[in-house]
């Protein structure tokens, strides 16, 4: 018998046997018969028949030989056409994606392939959305914000497939997953997304009963987590609610509930009892450790590696809390828990989680004084953070990954300082700054850093990442470290917000937020903070500066870190032996800078202040002093080419068109600072229309002004709560877009004081004898010492100015006559200390 006839007989025999067997009882046999029968089909002659056999074989092999099933589906896809064979094409993509989710190891490449296949099939098979949501949650490739958007989209699609009334348990489960995803939005307003997450969990809770088992427990845990981090309301009530729902979850995790579920409930209660804002209690921390010890006994690390990693990570965190408060703590045990957690967390897929654990281990060893070993953990943490950042492309995605740097670079820098490696400490600290603006840098050299030291002055690089603070002083010849035993992270947070983890907002930020209703308290806070800064921060620094030969009158460049950028560091004050108050700016000129590289890049700005002036004047029409201010600006910068955008002419389009041609850009207007989305901070222009930074920055390319003066409220404020880039705001946006120097304000400023100070600033600048930092210092010292009589004389010079300035000046002179001639109306730092100079000069 010819071979082809033998093959046909064998094929027919196989198919008869296939038709006769009970396939549900014998799937392995069915798969074997189909695989052999398919081998007799000529792929070239009968491609569709061959693909059909490969697809059918794969369906039966899914549970028996998933790798072979995937290979068969891939074979079939080489034949199936998306249009001509749509159902078969979808089935193959669905099969491959579903099977790949269960394969181990499941790395980034496998995850991306699974996403591709499931995305191809989900339109025809909407139930696949639940799988895709899981994949996007853990996807390390691609932009974090785009992954989050896909995750939320698929969770919403999955929720639509469930009937809320007929299947309340599954609906509540899916709704909880959506709630968790909402809370994970990159670079979102944390308070807003937390409230939405809490609302969704409470909606699920309202549908469930305790008899709903795991779903009810998971819902209680979700609600507990929301109350744990909720702010802006009654903190004690939030803590009580967090613990209430945590205990409800634990009380329900008995009987038939699986051991991992009870383990998770124990871990959640432990987290709740160590909530941020609670007063430290060593016994409570040890009780939390006991909960975790019990939790660990209930978990099989092979079957539940992520849960076990969470328990080990929390153990390390609890031991760190003990170490940081001076309690007896076995740091070797801390490191061991961290190492176990790391061994259970996949590298490429969970870089953020690994970085967090590595940082905890490093901080624990820092607290124990084991600096070399701590530095090793921090180096690994930075590598993980750097790898995560490389794939972030959107603004929100980059911001999320920048959060993940936290203060890792500052902690490594601090450890290196303790090891005496001062140069590398500078380089590492720089590595963690301005991550939003740059994707990569060439290594810096010490000579490059020394090249930006002002003549006769010094760079002051602060590091407040630990209990003991440090300021690195860089001169043209030396690098010295000033250690501040009483002014580190804890003291800084006490001044800034009332404590390291305050139950309610206090300190500077509370006074700032209440400044309108508690005006005098805000004035007192500015003065009291200045006194504390001089006593605790500046006195040790000034001693070392004197030893290094830095003479009074020199310029100092201050590099903020750890949130100190919110304070007017230049307005520190003290009293002499006679009881007279003096200020830091009596002795030095202080300039701010976000990082070394922004001072090393672009033009220096020197000598370019004689060029074109862009003057944006009173665009909203409600700033009378703006009119006077702009007269002074034009007076002191006379002879320059001028682009004047006054009132209704100062539209966003007009400003964008003009700013790229200006050497000096002066904005006399209002501004709004967006704490959560700094690049949406905006200048207010004609008709109240906003010009946000995200729209303004592209207009600065390729040529930005040498000097930008932002004579408006809150333009020197920066995002300080979430990222190591303390200068994320107006100054950084202009500097990183190429501007040389930026004058801006730390809080809403008095209109009269602003006009007077900026006018005097330009007078000093126009003289040609002083760069901007010195010109601002002179203007501030002048404003705080100017008398009512001197102001009367100044106003007299302007009495013949055309309206509206002339009549307005007349009213000012009338008001000044109510004061004693020697009265100094602007002596309080409230009026002058808000103004800062940042940048190259």
């Amino acid at each position: 018998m010819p071979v082809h006839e033998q093959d046909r007989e064998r094929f027919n025999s196989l198919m008869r046997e296939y038709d006769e067997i009970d396939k549900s009882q014998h799937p392995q046999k069915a798969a074997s018969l189909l695989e052999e029968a398919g081998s007799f089909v000529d792929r070239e002659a009968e491609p569709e028949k061959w693909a059909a056999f490969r697809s059918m074989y794969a369906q039966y092999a899914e549970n028996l030989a998933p790798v072979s099933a995937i290979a068969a589906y891939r074979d079939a896809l080489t034949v199936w056409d998306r249009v001509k064979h749509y159902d078969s094409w979808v089935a193959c993509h669905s099969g491959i994606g579903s099977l790949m989710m269960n394969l181990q190891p499941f790395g980034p490449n496998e995850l991306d392939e699974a996403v591709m296949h499931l995305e191809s099939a989900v339109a025809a098979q909407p139930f696949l959305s639940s799988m895709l949501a899981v994949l996007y949650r853990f996807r390390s490739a691609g932009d974090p914000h785009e992954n989050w958007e896909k995750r939320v989209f698929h969770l919403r699609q999955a929720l639509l497939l469930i009937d809320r009334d007929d299947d309340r348990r599954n609906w509540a489960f899916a709704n909880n997953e959506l709630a968790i995803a909402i809370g994970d939005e990159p670079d979102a307003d944390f308070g807003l997304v937390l409230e939405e997450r809490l609302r969704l969990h409470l909606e699920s809770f309202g549908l469930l009963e305790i008899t709903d088992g795991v779903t009810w427990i998971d819902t209680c845990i979700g609600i507990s987590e929301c109350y744990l981090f909720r702010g802006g309301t009654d903190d004690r009530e939030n803590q009580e609610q967090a613990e209430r729902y945590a205990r409800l979850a634990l009380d329900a995790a008995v009987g038939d509930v699986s051991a991992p579920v009870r383990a998770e409930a124990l871990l959640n209660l432990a987290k709740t009892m160590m909530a941020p804002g609670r007063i430290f209690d060593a016994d409570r921390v040890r009780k939390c450790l006991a909960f975790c010890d019990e939790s660990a006994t209930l978990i099989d690390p092979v079957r539940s590696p992520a849960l076990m990693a969470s328990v080990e990570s929390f153990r390390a965190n609890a031991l760190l809390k003990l170490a940081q408060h001076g309690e007896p703590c076995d740091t070797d045990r801390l490191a061991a828990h961290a190492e176990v957690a790391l061994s259970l967390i996949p590298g490429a897929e969970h870089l953020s989680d690994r970085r967090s654990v590595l940082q905890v281990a490093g901080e624990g060893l820092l607290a124990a004084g084991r600096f070399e070993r701590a530095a090793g953990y921090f180096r690994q943490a930075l590598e993980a953070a750097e790898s995560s950042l490389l794939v972030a492309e959107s603004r929100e995605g980059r911001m999320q990954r920048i959060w993940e740097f936290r203060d890792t670079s500052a902690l490594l820098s601090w450890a290196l300082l303790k090891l005496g490696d001062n140069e590398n400490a500078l380089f590492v600290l720089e590595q963690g700054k301005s991550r939003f603006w740059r994707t990569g840098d060439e290594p810096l050299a010490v000579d490059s850093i020394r090249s930006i030291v002002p003549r006769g002055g010094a760079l002051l690089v602060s590091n407040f990442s630990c209990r003991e603070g440090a300021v690195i002083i860089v001169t043209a010849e030396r690098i010295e470290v000033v250690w501040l035993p009483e002014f580190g992270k804890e003291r800084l947070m006490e001044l800034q917000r009332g404590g390291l983890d305050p139950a309610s907002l206090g300190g500077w930020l509370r006074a700032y937020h209440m400044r309108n209703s508690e005006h005098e308290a805000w004035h007192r806070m500015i003065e009291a903070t200045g006194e504390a800064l001089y006593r605790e921060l500046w006195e040790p620094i000034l001693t070392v500066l004197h030893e290094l030969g830095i003479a009074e009158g020199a310029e100092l460049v201050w590099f903020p870190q750890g949130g100190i950028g919110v304070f007017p560091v230049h307005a520190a004050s003290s009293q002499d032996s006679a009881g007279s108050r003096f200020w830091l700016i009596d002795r030095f000129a202080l300039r701010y800078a976000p990082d070394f590289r922004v001072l090393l890049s672009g033009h220096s700005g020197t000598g370019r202040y004689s060029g074109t002036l862009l003057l944006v004047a009173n665009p909203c029409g409600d700033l009378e002093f703006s009119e006077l201010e702009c007269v002074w600006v034009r007076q002191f910068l006379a002879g320059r080419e001028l682009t004047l955008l006054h009132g209704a002419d100062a539209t966003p389009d007009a400003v964008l068109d003009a700013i790229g041609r200006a050497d000096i850009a002066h904005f006399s207007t209002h501004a709004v600072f967006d704490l959560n989305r700094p690049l949406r901070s905006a200048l207010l222009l004609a008709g109240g229309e906003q010009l946000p930074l995200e729209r303004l920055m592209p207009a600065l390319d390729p040529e930005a002004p040498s000097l930008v003066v932002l004579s408006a409220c809150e333009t020197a404020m920066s995002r300080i709560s979430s990222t190591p880039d303390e200068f994320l705001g107006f100054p950084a946006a202009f500097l990183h877009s190429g501007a040389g120097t930026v004058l801006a304000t730390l809080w809403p400023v008095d209109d009269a004081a602003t006009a007077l100070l900026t006018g005097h600033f330009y007078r000093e600048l126009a003289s040609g004898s002083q760069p901007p930092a010195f010109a601002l210092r002179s203007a501030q010292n002048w404003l705080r010492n100017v008398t009512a009589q001197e102001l009367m004389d100044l106003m007299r010079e302007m009495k013949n100015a055309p309206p509206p300035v002339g009549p307005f000046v007349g009213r000012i002179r009338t008001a000044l006559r109510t004061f004693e001639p020697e009265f100094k109306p602007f002596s309080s730092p409230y009026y002058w200390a808000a103004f800062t100079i940042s940048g190259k000069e």
Side-chain angles (χ1 to χ4, degrees):
M1 183 183 295
V3 173
H4 67 275
E5 292 184 11
Q6 293 177 358
D7 291 346
R8 187 182 302 114
E9 285 295 324
R10 178 58 179 163
F11 174 83
N12 291 335
S13 173
L14 291 167
M15 294 310 299
R16 283 194 296 272
E17 186 175 359
Y18 171 80
D19 291 337
E20 292 169 359
I21 64 169
D22 184 341
K23 300 169 191 63
S24 62
Q25 295 295 318
H26 304 285
Q28 186 170 3
K29 181 65 174 176
S32 177
L33 291 169
L34 289 168
E35 183 177 32
E36 186 178 353
S39 68
F40 292 106
V41 179
D42 188 328
R43 185 194 186 286
E44 299 300 325
E46 300 179 283
E48 293 182 3
K49 184 175 181 180
W50 176 84
F53 271 95
R54 295 300 286 157
S55 294
M56 292 167 62
Y57 161 75
Q59 291 172 22
Y60 285 107
E62 282 187 357
N63 296 323
L64 306 169
V67 173
S68 297
I70 290 172
Y73 279 132
R74 284 176 176 152
D75 288 343
L77 277 175
T78 64
V79 174
W80 298 137
D81 179 80
R82 186 180 187 277
V83 176
K84 186 178 179 181
H85 313 106
Y86 182 68
D87 290 343
S88 299
W89 182 87
V90 165
C92 288
H93 280 296
S94 175
I96 295 173
S98 301
L99 287 170
M100 290 191 71
M101 284 194 68
N102 298 317
L103 289 181
Q104 296 297 331
F106 191 62
N109 293 335
E110 290 79 11
L111 189 150
D112 278 355
E113 185 179 351
V115 165
M116 182 274 291
H117 287 295
L118 293 177
E119 284 284 14
S120 299
V122 70
Q125 299 180 354
F127 64 87
L128 296 176
S129 276
S130 57
M131 292 186 190
L132 280 163
V134 173
L135 293 175
Y136 280 115
R137 179 178 186 178
F138 297 108
R139 188 172 186 239
S140 59
D143 183 76
H145 194 264
E146 292 175 5
N147 287 335
W148 174 83
E149 287 180 325
K150 286 283 192 178
R151 175 185 170 195
V152 170
F153 170 79
H154 284 296
L155 284 170
R156 294 190 189 281
Q157 293 300 109
L159 194 61
L160 291 174
L161 300 177
I162 307 171
D163 188 298
R164 173 184 169 131
D165 297 324
D166 293 341
D167 195 359
R168 55 184 175 76
R169 185 181 301 176
N170 282 329
W171 189 93
F173 173 83
N175 195 49
N176 284 337
E177 291 298 305
L178 176 61
I180 293 168
I182 293 293
D184 288 343
E185 180 181 357
D187 194 38
D189 183 322
F190 180 75
L192 290 178
V193 298
L194 189 67
E195 289 300 312
E196 177 61 11
R197 180 187 171 188
L198 177 59
R199 184 191 70 78
L200 292 172
H201 282 314
L202 289 172
E203 186 179 14
S204 296
F205 187 78
L207 293 176
L208 299 170
E209 299 174 0
I210 194 170
T211 52
D212 286 307
V214 173
T215 304
W216 193 85
I217 293 168
D218 287 342
T219 306
C220 288
I221 290 174
I223 295 171
S224 174
E225 289 176 347
C226 291
Y227 279 118
L228 181 62
F229 296 106
R230 194 184 193 204
T233 53
D234 188 316
D235 293 287
R236 179 172 294 180
E237 171 68 17
N238 287 332
Q239 288 182 359
E240 290 175 354
Q241 288 285 67
E243 191 162 334
R244 173 190 167 223
Y245 281 98
R247 292 192 181 279
L248 285 175
L250 184 60
D251 291 345
V254 294
D256 295 335
V257 172
S258 68
V261 172
R262 179 169 177 80
E264 191 166 358
L266 283 163
L267 176 60
N268 180 66
L269 180 57
K271 290 178 179 178
T272 303
M273 292 179 65
M274 267 182 47
R278 284 187 180 274
I279 297 173
F280 174 75
D281 183 332
D283 289 338
R284 184 191 292 118
V285 175
R286 294 189 180 95
K287 189 171 184 179
C288 292
L289 279 168
F291 284 141
C292 285
D293 291 341
E294 180 184 350
S295 181
T297 65
L298 301 171
I299 304 170
D300 180 347
V302 176
R303 300 183 65 181
S304 305
L307 180 56
M308 192 67 191
S310 295
V311 171
E312 294 293 351
S313 178
F314 182 86
R315 282 166 148 175
N317 268 291
L319 290 168
L320 173 61
K321 205 168 189 71
L322 291 173
Q324 289 177 330
H325 285 82
E327 293 290 323
C329 172
D330 184 347
T331 51
D332 285 329
R333 179 188 170 195
L334 185 159
H337 285 307
E339 291 290 351
V340 173
L342 290 168
S343 71
L344 295 168
I345 301 173
E349 302 96 303
H350 299 281
L351 286 168
S352 299
D353 295 333
R354 290 182 64 82
R355 188 210 56 79
S356 297
V357 174
L358 288 162
Q359 180 153 313
V360 168
E363 288 189 68
L365 292 161
L366 270 191
R370 300 169 70 174
F371 305 121
E372 188 68 52
R373 192 174 175 196
Y377 279 112
F378 292 135
R379 287 190 182 96
Q380 293 180 65
L382 277 179
E383 289 173 4
E386 191 75 53
S387 297
S388 294
L389 186 58
L390 286 175
V391 296
E393 297 176 355
S394 72
R395 178 182 304 144
E396 296 85 355
R398 282 189 61 77
M399 191 69 71
Q400 176 71 8
R401 295 289 165 86
I402 289 165
W403 284 13
E404 295 167 3
F405 274 85
R406 294 173 63 188
D407 54 353
T408 305
S409 64
L411 286 164
L412 175 54
S413 173
W414 197 91
L416 293 173
L417 289 174
K418 281 296 184 181
L419 292 167
D421 191 355
N422 297 343
E423 290 187 7
N424 279 320
L426 283 173
F427 300 149
V428 167
L429 191 58
E430 172 79 1
Q431 184 182 356
K433 287 177 175 285
S434 300
R435 304 301 305 186
F436 179 81
W437 310 100
R438 301 191 310 271
T439 56
D441 295 310
E442 293 296 321
L444 283 177
V446 174
D447 288 344
S448 296
I449 296 174
R450 287 202 169 102
S451 72
I452 58 176
V453 175
R455 185 183 298 275
L459 310 179
L460 305 181
V461 185
S462 59
N463 189 329
F464 302 110
S465 55
C466 293
R467 182 181 290 270
E468 182 181 18
V471 174
I472 310 167
I473 300 178
V474 182
T475 70
E477 296 82 23
R478 297 172 61 182
I479 299 176
E480 294 289 335
V481 181
V482 181
W483 290 103
L484 304 168
E486 305 303 323
F487 197 90
K489 182 176 182 179
E490 190 171 327
R491 176 56 175 152
L492 182 58
M493 290 299 100
E494 181 182 4
L495 288 174
Q496 188 193 91
R497 61 185 65 235
L500 197 60
D501 291 309
S504 58
L505 189 65
W508 177 276
L509 293 182
R510 183 194 180 279
Y512 178 83
H513 287 298
M514 302 296 292
R515 65 189 180 278
N516 293 325
S517 59
E518 300 177 11
H519 194 63
E520 292 303 316
W522 171 230
H523 281 233
R524 290 194 298 271
M525 176 60 70
I526 295 171
E527 294 183 1
T529 302
E531 292 172 0
L533 289 173
Y534 197 97
R535 182 177 61 252
E536 300 173 38
L537 174 66
W538 278 107
E539 284 186 352
I541 295 173
L542 293 173
T543 298
V544 177
L545 288 174
H546 177 73
E547 294 171 355
L548 292 172
I550 306 299
E552 291 192 7
E555 183 179 18
L556 307 175
V557 186
W558 178 264
F559 295 81
Q561 187 278 326
I564 201 168
V566 73
F567 298 123
V569 176
H570 58 280
S573 67
S574 188
Q575 293 184 357
D576 60 23
S577 57
S580 298
R581 182 161 299 281
F582 63 91
W583 307 86
L584 182 70
I585 58 172
D586 288 322
R587 304 176 64 178
F588 295 97
L590 195 70
R591 170 165 45 105
Y592 295 80
D595 57 273
F596 297 142
R597 293 182 190 276
V598 80
L599 303 188
L600 290 166
S601 62
H603 58 72
S604 67
T606 304
R608 297 189 65 220
Y609 304 120
S610 59
T612 303
L613 167 65
L614 168 63
L615 179 55
V616 180
N618 195 16
C620 299
D622 60 348
L623 296 173
E624 286 188 296
F625 275 99
S626 173
E627 303 290 346
L628 177 58
E629 173 185 327
C630 292
V631 168
W632 278 327
V633 172
R634 296 182 67 177
Q635 176 182 321
F636 296 128
L637 298 181
R640 292 161 176 79
E641 181 183 343
L642 171 67
T643 300
L644 174 62
L645 299 176
H646 181 271
D649 294 332
T651 64
D653 287 342
V655 171
L656 293 173
D657 179 64
I659 195 167
R661 301 188 301 273
D663 293 320
I664 301 175
H666 183 102
F667 294 87
S668 181
T669 183
H670 299 286
V672 290
F673 182 76
D674 190 326
L675 182 63
N676 294 301
R677 301 290 177 85
L679 292 191
R680 294 183 184 174
S681 301
L683 298 169
L684 298 189
L685 298 178
E689 191 171 354
Q690 294 190 3
L691 178 56
L693 282 172
E694 60 189 358
R695 188 179 172 199
L696 181 58
M697 289 166 58
L700 302 175
D701 185 30
E703 193 67 42
S706 295
L707 174 65
V708 177
V709 175
L710 300 172
S711 181
C713 298
E714 300 182 310
T715 48
M717 287 188 68
S718 55
R719 180 173 179 163
I720 59 168
S721 58
S722 304
T723 74
D725 192 339
E726 289 83 5
F727 262 54
L728 192 55
F730 281 96
F734 277 101
L735 292 173
H736 283 281
S737 297
T741 303
V742 180
L743 187 154
T745 60
L746 282 167
W747 56 79
V749 286
D750 179 82
D751 292 348
T754 299
L756 290 163
L757 186 141
T758 54
H760 201 87
F761 167 77
Y762 280 112
R763 181 195 296 267
E764 297 290 338
L765 196 66
S767 70
S769 60
Q770 299 195 77
F774 285 89
L776 177 61
R777 175 197 180 209
S778 296
Q780 289 173 316
N781 285 331
W782 171 81
L783 183 64
R784 65 187 175 89
N785 289 307
V786 71
T787 65
Q789 182 60 54
E790 290 169 333
L791 291 172
M792 285 275 290
D793 296 339
L794 180 62
M795 293 301 126
R796 187 179 298 112
E797 298 174 7
M798 307 296 296
K799 66 179 181 179
N800 295 323
V805 174
F808 178 56
V809 165
R811 295 198 301 273
I812 295 173
R813 292 180 67 203
T814 300
L816 286 169
R817 290 191 181 97
T818 63
F819 298 107
E820 292 294 325
E822 297 306 310
F823 175 68
K824 298 177 180 179
F826 300 109
S827 60
S828 167
Y830 162 76
Y831 294 104
W832 54 265
F835 296 86
T836 68
I837 280 284
S838 302
K840 297 180 175 66
E841 290 194 295

